[in-house]
Amino acid sequence: MTIVTRHSAEVPAMSRDGEGDTRILTVRPSQLRGQVRVSGAKNSVLRLLAASLLTPERIVLHNYPGELLDAIVHVGMLETLGKTCRVIGETLVIEAETAPPSSTLAWQGRSIRNTLLILGAMVARTGAGAVPAPGGCDLGDRKYDLHELVLTKLGARVWEENGMLHAEAPDGLRGAEITLPLRSTGATENALIAGSLAKGRTTLWNPHIRPEIIDLARFLRSMGAAITINGQESIVIDGAPTLGGITHRVMPDNMEAMTWLIGSVMTGGDVEIVDFPFEDLEVPLIFLRESGARIFRDGPVAIVRSGRPYPVEISTGPYPGINSDMQPLFAAMGACARGVSRLVDLRFAGRYGYLDEFGRMGVSSEVRDGAAHITGGAAIEGADVRALDLRCGAALALLGMVARGETRIADAWQIERGYNDFARKAHELGANLAYTNAC
């Protein structure tokens, strides 16, 4: 795989998959000012990479986030399964002259949760698949039972053995009626991917429709599947005998856009965010404006003229509501406001672990009756903290920019899992940060 890197001398490149990287991200007081362009979305591109396994034909992805660590891991997995991948600037070209040499993903590197979608794609195309147990962020109770439900309903047998998740359908997958007991982004994606090569019609009830799902459906339609989305009620998929190659532009990353926006407000900055996905963030923007953000629109550019953080009160929920991923960023903003902010995560009840790391920086909080209560206004102090997951890491980096003294973030590679060139972009906006070796 050919990868073109663009890191500055001040912000050295991370390792190729991140895991095992012991360097510390050191952050000092900063103010974000300038212009930044939003990269292709992590939560879209990983799904498109998995869907590329449905065809032997060429797939071309523009606006590809080539420095995203999870995307680098995923491309390595594709190559293990027989694909040839070339990164040219911000374009990824995926090709394969033959069928996958094996239905088993023999992968010894860091795992990602997207292996569940690789499993769906492999069993749909070859009738069998085996992948390492999924990895990703530890957000509490995140099993794969809904993915198993989808594949089982489509006619596959699914089981776990020796740390590998297996599925087989020797006679191919067949369309079915599937009802999700809980709206799940991942299970919806797997139904779309697997159903696109299943024989007959698949109807998925109670899907989770969000921008990344719509992007994946658009991608699969262009490949030849017939897909109808009926709002949050259902998705109807008429599988195709074969799927073809396409050229597709990856949608902009709404989480990256939110991070630079909130960072500008927290640091009293002045940031122009290019390729800002306004239509995907209508509800979060309402809450941000009510919480003190001064946001203006100039076509595809969001102009964030600082503002003053006010306490926030949010609950996460299905799109178009506030995504669970956004919760730590809202919490960081609340830590800078005078008063008490309240956050409720209705999807991942255990996703408040980052508050312990906030506490090391002097942020007072408690979890009571299922809600996180954050008392802001006190001085935030630099400290040694750890990125428990990628969104926790990004929130800690923003807090480090407003803290007194120096903040040292261990496991900072987690941030680069989900942000394309986070450190370089932050540095170019004026952030005082650098990777250093752990003592």
Side-chain angles (χ1 to χ4, degrees), residues 151-402:
L151 296 179
T152 300
K153 287 287 188 180
L154 292 173
R157 183 171 74 92
V158 182
W159 73 99
E160 188 172 354
E161 182 179 338
N162 297 326
M164 299 285 286
L165 191 60
H166 298 255
E168 66 175 13
D171 297 324
L173 298 179
R174 295 188 176 275
E177 297 261 341
I178 307 171
T179 300
L180 295 179
L182 174 70
R183 280 182 180 164
S184 162
T185 302
T188 301
E189 291 161 344
N190 226 337
L192 280 166
I193 289 172
S196 291
L197 279 180
K199 300 171 185 174
R201 171 169 290 183
T202 296
T203 303
L204 180 70
W205 300 95
N206 197 36
H208 189 190
I209 305 302
R210 49 179 299 103
E212 295 85 358
I213 295 290
I214 295 170
D215 198 34
L216 175 60
R218 187 182 303 116
F219 182 84
L220 292 168
R221 282 194 201 104
S222 297
M223 293 176 73
I227 299 171
T228 302
I229 297 177
N230 302 309
Q232 298 285 0
E233 180 198 53
S234 65
I235 299 176
V236 179
I237 310 153
D238 289 310
T242 60
L243 296 175
I246 62 163
T247 296
H248 183 87
R249 180 177 175 81
V250 182
M251 62 178 283
D253 195 308
N254 53 47
M255 282 303 304
E256 182 190 349
M258 287 280 292
T259 302
W260 301 130
L261 192 163
I262 289 175
S264 178
V265 177
M266 287 174 58
T267 64
D270 189 341
V271 176
E272 295 183 1
I273 308 171
V274 181
D275 285 349
F276 191 95
F278 285 95
E279 289 72 18
D280 297 341
L281 294 171
E282 289 182 3
V283 172
L285 288 175
I286 291 171
F287 281 87
L288 285 168
R289 286 190 171 101
E290 291 181 349
S291 300
R294 298 175 62 234
I295 309 163
F296 306 92
R297 180 172 186 173
D298 182 10
V301 180
I303 302 169
V304 189
R305 302 292 191 207
S306 181
R308 174 185 170 186
Y310 302 152
V312 300
E313 293 209 10
I314 63 166
S315 62
T316 68
Y319 182 80
I322 294 173
N323 192 326
S324 179
D325 276 359
M326 299 176 185
Q327 187 217 131
L329 299 175
F330 273 98
M333 185 171 168
C336 297
R338 292 185 178 274
V340 178
S341 293
R342 298 174 179 84
L343 302 89
V344 179
D345 198 313
L346 299 176
R347 181 63 181 93
F348 299 112
R351 197 173 190 174
Y352 300 125
Y354 64 86
L355 291 176
D356 291 336
E357 302 305 311
F358 281 23
R360 301 178 195 279
M361 301 181 71
V363 178
S364 176
S365 67
E366 64 173 331
V367 178
R368 187 173 68 250
D369 299 326
H373 298 252
I374 301 166
T375 303
I380 298 173
E381 304 288 345
D384 288 352
V385 293
R386 185 167 72 89
L388 304 180
D389 58 59
L390 71 93
R391 307 306 175 190
C392 169
L396 290 171
L398 296 184
L399 283 177
M401 295 177 196
V402 298

Side-chain angles (χ1 to χ4, degrees), residues 14-21 69-70 72-73 107-111 413 417:
M14 298 289 286
S15 62
R16 288 294 85 194
D17 71 353
E19 191 171 46
D21 195 311
L69 293 187
D70 275 8
I72 291 170
V73 169
W107 182 254
Q108 301 302 317
R110 176 170 63 85
S111 184
W413 64 271
R417 279 186 49 229

